């Protein structure tokens, strides 16, 4: 059984489209289709439901998928571990990061580069649930996510920092104030992340404990989009305090702390707790521990 045919199968299950899967594997569509047909023949099972196009996985395909993912990860781990014995670690470290953690990704990249100069960092902005799925399917080496709210299972974690919420409004709308209360903040027209994002679910849960709720006039899945709406005028937002450093001082924005802040949330780096731990996961944990100790 060729490793390449397993890669074709996993790519098709992920992309759910023959042409996109072939492109991801850098082969022609006929080559990918022939490889999957060869895999099915070797197993004696039909893995893919298809009728001129991809329909879905068969029951056998769904059962085989995690084993195919694990087999690919084991071979990649074997190659990385044996290569690291002879010299510096090389390859791409695949990192998923929640949008709230993006301001710290730069610091993580700096620490990782100093420790592993031959490793490249491939960062994807993902939700916490997507990170958990990516780790379990071996599509990510590490993730930066919340550690205490909806905690991911079967992970090793390295705490990085505690996140607090801050209020951001336009200077034309918000006067010269040192702090803002929640009643006043929630009375403003707000743009926030949508409920599918964990930061928003944490905010809603903390507000509910105070018998408060929020009804934003606009939602997004990106803090860049939220800040762009505030800059355009007419709305305010609530973002993690890490984003305060990305807003130029003396600009259009007024960044205000809360006079009665909500509980902070721990953010950290996570890897799957599946021995043997891959060399990329080990490198990510080591860099995160160094970074966390300095923050």
């Amino acid at each position: 059984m060729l490793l390449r045919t397993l890669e074709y199968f996993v790519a098709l299950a992920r992309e759910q489209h023959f042409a996109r899967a072939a492109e991801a594997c850098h082969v022609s569509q006929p080559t990918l289709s022939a490889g999957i047909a060869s895999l099915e023949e070797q197993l004696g099972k039909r893995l893919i439901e298809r009728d001129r196009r991809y329909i879905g996985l068969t029951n056998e395909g769904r059962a085989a998928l995690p084993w195919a993912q694990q087999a690919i990860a084991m071979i990649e781990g074997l190659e990385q571990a044996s290569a690291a014995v002879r010299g510096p670690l090389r390859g791409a470290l695949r990192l998923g990061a929640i949008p709230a953690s993006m301001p710290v990704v730069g610091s993580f990249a700096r620490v990782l580069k100093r420790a592993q100069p031959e490793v490249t960092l491939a960062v994807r902005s993902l939700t916490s649930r997507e990170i958990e799925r990516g780790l379990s399917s071996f599509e990510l080496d590490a993730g930066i996510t919340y550690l205490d709210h909806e905690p991911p299972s079967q992970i090793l974690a390295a705490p990085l920092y505690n996140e607090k919420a801050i209020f951001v409004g336009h200077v034309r709308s918000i006067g010269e104030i040192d702090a803002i209360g929640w009643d006043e903040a929630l009375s403003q027209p707000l743009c926030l992340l949508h409920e599918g994002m964990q930061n928003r679910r944490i905010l809603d849960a903390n507000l509910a404990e105070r018998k408060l709720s929020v009804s934003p006039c606009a939602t997004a899945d990106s803090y860049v989009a939220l800040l762009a709406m505030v800059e355009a005028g007419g709305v305010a937002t609530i973002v993690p305090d890490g984003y305060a450093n990305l807003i130029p001082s003396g600009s259009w924005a007024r960044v205000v702390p809360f006079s009665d802040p909500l509980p902070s949330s721990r953010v950290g780096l996570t890897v799957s707790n599946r021995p043997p731990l891959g060399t990329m996961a080990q490198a990510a944990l080591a860099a995160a521990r160094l970074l966390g100790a300095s923050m």
Side-chain angles (χ1 to χ4, degrees):
M1 185 180 299
L2 294 176
L3 177 64
R4 196 62 173 151
T5 62
L6 295 178
E7 292 173 338
Y8 295 164
F9 170 52
V10 169
L12 182 57
R14 181 182 65 249
E15 301 294 336
Q16 300 184 16
H17 190 277
F18 278 96
R20 289 199 299 268
E23 183 179 359
C25 294
H26 307 290
V27 298
S28 67
Q29 187 171 329
T31 297
L32 181 129
S33 297
I36 290 175
S38 173
L39 178 62
E40 291 177 321
E41 183 178 352
Q42 291 177 68
L43 294 174
K45 305 291 183 184
R46 190 175 180 85
L47 304 176
I48 308 296
E49 292 282 2
R50 51 192 181 274
D51 181 15
R52 296 186 180 180
R53 62 182 178 84
Y54 176 87
I55 297 175
L57 298 180
T58 63
N59 290 335
E60 293 82 358
R62 284 189 288 274
L65 179 60
W67 292 99
Q69 293 168 329
Q70 186 170 343
I72 294 169
M74 288 177 64
I75 296 299
E76 291 176 347
L78 185 153
E79 292 173 345
Q80 290 172 351
S82 60
V85 171
R86 299 191 304 269
L89 182 61
R90 292 185 173 88
L93 194 159
R94 302 163 300 175
L95 177 71
I98 56 173
S101 72
M102 282 301 173
V104 82
V105 167
S107 297
F108 176 79
R110 172 178 49 79
V111 173
L112 177 68
K113 188 68 174 178
R114 185 179 300 158
Q116 302 289 348
E118 300 298 320
V119 170
T120 59
L121 182 62
V123 182
R124 296 174 60 194
S125 177
L126 300 172
T127 67
S128 57
R129 290 169 178 166
E130 288 171 336
I131 290 172
E132 187 171 8
R133 288 195 294 269
L135 290 173
S136 66
S137 64
F138 301 94
E139 294 179 0
L140 294 174
D141 299 301
I144 299 180
T145 186
Y146 293 106
L147 299 182
D148 302 316
H149 302 270
E150 304 172 13
S153 60
Q154 296 181 318
I155 58 98
L156 296 174
L160 291 174
Y161 63 94
N162 291 326
E163 171 191 290
K164 295 182 179 180
I166 55 172
F167 183 86
V168 181
H170 200 285
V171 292
R172 293 196 302 266
S173 303
I174 306 298
E176 291 282 355
I177 55 176
D178 295 327
I180 190 170
W182 280 100
D183 287 335
E184 182 181 357
L186 297 179
S187 70
Q188 304 289 324
L190 293 174
C191 58
L192 298 173
L193 295 183
H194 61 69
E195 290 91 340
M197 308 296 288
Q198 193 175 9
N199 177 275
R200 172 65 188 283
R201 296 195 298 274
I202 293 171
L203 174 64
D204 287 348
N206 283 329
L207 290 177
E209 289 186 0
R210 299 189 180 193
K211 296 182 170 49
L212 297 171
S213 63
V214 60
S215 298
C217 61
T219 61
D221 63 0
S222 160
Y223 289 107
V224 173
L226 297 182
L227 293 174
M229 283 188 268
V230 177
E231 182 179 15
V235 294
T237 191
I238 298 168
V239 301
D241 53 350
Y243 276 82
N245 295 329
L246 301 183
I247 301 173
S249 59
S251 67
W252 50 268
R254 194 175 305 287
V255 180
V256 185
F258 284 97
S259 57
D260 46 351
L262 298 176
S264 60
S265 300
R266 285 198 312 157
V267 177
L269 183 130
T270 61
V271 301
S272 290
N273 187 13
R274 284 181 299 223
L277 200 62
T279 51
M280 288 298 177
Q282 293 179 47
L285 271 178
R289 286 165 179 160
L290 284 173
L291 178 59
S294 68
M295 296 185 72

